[in-house]
């Protein structure tokens, strides 16, 4: 953990642990509800973050407490092995403790951590994200030297009844991931498919392996590969984000876009997610995505349910 942050009177801090996740997720849920938002599956996300190998939880997290009760937290993520990657960090404060300086203390903690890690890792950009409707967060981060750079949407659809995946485009076969064969293939296709997206930086296989195959919720049956003439040219992977199945990744190689492959992957995933007992599906998308992703998701019945703003620190 970086140096102890300056906290308002009556508050203390400590690093997070995986045992804290239910309490932190509850804070996040109360924050969403106070903003009138559909709560995110924050417990699943936080548990995943705690397992990612380049997140050192004792260093990269803070929990602010009052009388030993957690009232806010922050977590930072950056993979030094991904050259040029940004640090993404986020903080959440319990609505009952807004206006008491906790949010400013989380920013101070994050900036101390950033300074500490820049000494070891060199310069990197710093980004954060929060709900578009959170006016207080906008003011707080603008005052701290951050500026708006991007909008992200969560898109959602219900999965009612038996869903049929339909036919794949001519010459395209969709199959599930094969353990012991497809680990590097999924990584390679994902890297190539997202290379033209905002904020992308290449990650080594070891980082991808840690983010996917070594986490406790990895399930090869939830990863799909699209093939053309025996070559994998598209991918989709989803995870448990109860009550939703969450599509964490879907991409097609640039040369094969516009042929209905991503739509076929999505329809197959919808059927699989419904068959696994989930009642709905969500995913996140850059609202300025240049590949036509937003319209694609609307075509398959998904609608925007949440908007978030990405801010970047102006000194990087």
């Amino acid at each position: 953990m970086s140096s102890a942050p300056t906290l308002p009177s009556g508050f203390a801090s400590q690093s997070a642990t995986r045992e804290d996740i239910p309490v932190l997720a509850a804070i996040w849920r109360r924050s969403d509800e106070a903003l009138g938002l559909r709560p995110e599956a924050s417990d699943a996300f936080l548990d995943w973050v705690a397992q990612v190998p380049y997140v050192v939880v004792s260093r990269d997290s803070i929990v602010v407490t009052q009388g030993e009760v957690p009232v806010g937290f922050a977590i930072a993520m950056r993979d030094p092995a991904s050259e040029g990657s940004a640090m993404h960090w986020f903080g959440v404060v319990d609505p009952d403790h807004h206006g008491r300086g906790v949010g400013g203390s989380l920013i101070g903690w994050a900036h101390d951590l950033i300074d500490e890690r820049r000494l070891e890792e060199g310069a990197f950009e710093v980004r954060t994200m929060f709900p578009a409707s959170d006016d207080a967060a906008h003011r707080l981060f603008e005052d701290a030297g951050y500026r708006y750079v991007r909008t992200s949407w969560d898109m959602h659809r219900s999965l009612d009844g038996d869903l049929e995946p339909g036919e794949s485009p001519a010459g395209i076969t969709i199959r599930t991931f094969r353990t012991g064969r497809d680990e590097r293939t999924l990584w390679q296709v994902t890297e190539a498919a997202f290379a033209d997206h905002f904020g992308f930086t290449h990650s080594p296989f070891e980082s991808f392996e840690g983010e996917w195959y070594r986490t406790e919720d990895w399930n090869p049956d939830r990863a799909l590969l699209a093939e053309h003439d025996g070559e994998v040219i598209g991918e989709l992977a989803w995870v448990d984000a109860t009550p939703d199945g969450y599509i964490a990744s879907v991409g097609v190689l640039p040369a094969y876009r516009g042929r209905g492959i991503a739509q076929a992957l999505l329809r197959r995933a919808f059927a699989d997610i419904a068959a696994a007992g989930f009642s709905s599906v969500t995913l996140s998308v850059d609202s300025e995505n240049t590949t036509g992703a937003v319209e694609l998701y609307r075509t398959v019945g998904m609608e925007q349910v949440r908007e978030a703003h990405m801010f970047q620190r102006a000194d990087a």
Side-chain angles (χ1 to χ4, degrees):
M1 179 175 171
S2 59
S3 57
T6 301
L7 294 166
S9 177
F11 293 89
S13 68
Q14 60 195 44
S15 297
T17 68
R18 288 189 72 180
E19 289 70 30
D20 295 323
I21 288 173
V23 175
L24 304 185
I27 292 173
W28 197 333
R29 183 167 56 254
R30 288 194 294 274
S31 178
D32 283 346
E33 291 170 346
L35 292 167
L37 299 173
R38 181 178 188 267
E40 297 185 294
S42 52
D43 48 353
F45 174 70
L46 292 171
D47 195 52
W48 173 77
V49 170
Q51 297 177 66
V52 173
Y54 49 78
V55 175
V56 181
V57 177
S58 61
R59 175 195 66 185
D60 297 332
S61 70
I62 182 174
V63 178
V64 176
T65 60
Q66 185 181 48
E68 299 186 359
V69 177
V71 299
F73 68 95
I75 296 175
M77 301 181 67
R78 180 177 188 264
D79 180 9
S82 178
E83 185 175 354
S85 64
M87 174 180 282
H88 294 265
W89 79 273
F90 59 92
V92 183
V93 178
D94 191 298
D96 290 342
H97 293 270
H98 284 182
R100 301 184 184 183
V102 176
S105 295
L106 295 179
I107 290 177
W109 166 84
H111 290 182
D112 287 346
L113 176 65
I114 289 161
D115 291 343
E116 175 186 305
R117 292 190 58 177
R118 280 177 171 169
L119 290 175
E120 301 174 1
E121 301 167 19
F124 51 76
E125 294 178 337
V126 178
R127 298 180 185 134
T128 190
M129 187 175 287
F130 49 85
S133 58
D134 192 339
D135 295 334
H138 281 81
R139 293 191 295 270
L140 190 64
F141 280 102
E142 286 169 354
D143 290 346
Y146 289 73
R147 296 294 178 265
Y148 166 84
V149 292
R150 214 75 175 181
T151 292
S152 174
W153 290 337
D154 282 1
M155 301 188 73
H156 169 273
R157 74 161 275 179
S158 297
L159 301 175
D160 300 321
D162 294 330
L163 297 178
E164 294 295 332
E167 297 292 330
S168 298
I172 301 298
T173 301
I174 295 177
R175 64 172 178 82
T176 55
F177 183 98
R178 297 173 185 168
T179 301
R181 168 181 168 179
D182 291 326
E183 283 81 0
R184 286 188 175 270
T185 298
L186 178 58
W187 164 65
Q188 291 166 345
V189 171
T190 302
E191 289 279 294
F194 283 91
D196 56 356
H197 285 51
F198 171 79
F200 174 84
T201 56
H202 287 285
S203 296
F205 174 74
E206 292 72 18
S207 296
F208 188 87
E209 181 182 38
E211 293 172 354
W212 287 94
Y213 313 136
R214 292 189 177 180
T215 59
E216 293 172 5
D217 62 351
W218 165 248
N219 185 337
D221 293 335
R222 295 175 177 174
L224 301 172
L225 300 176
E227 289 185 332
H228 178 263
D229 289 339
E231 176 190 2
V232 177
I233 48 82
E235 56 80 24
L236 182 151
W238 64 276
V239 297
D240 181 347
T242 301
D244 303 334
Y246 180 78
I247 296 176
S249 179
V250 55
V252 175
L253 298 183
Y256 290 89
R257 291 174 185 162
R259 303 186 189 185
I261 298 168
Q263 185 174 143
L265 284 164
L266 286 163
R267 293 193 182 281
R268 166 67 183 274
F270 292 169
D272 289 353
I273 292 168
F278 295 89
S279 60
S280 56
V281 58
T282 54
L283 54 73
S284 302
V285 61
D286 176 0
S287 68
E288 298 177 48
N289 181 288
T290 60
T291 67
V294 173
E295 187 56 36
L296 165 66
Y297 301 145
R298 288 176 175 151
T299 297
V300 295
M302 306 191 80
E303 298 179 348
Q304 177 189 342
V305 293
R306 187 184 179 105
E307 181 175 314
H309 286 170
M310 178 184 289
F311 270 45
Q312 181 166 304
R313 190 172 165 183
D315 69 348

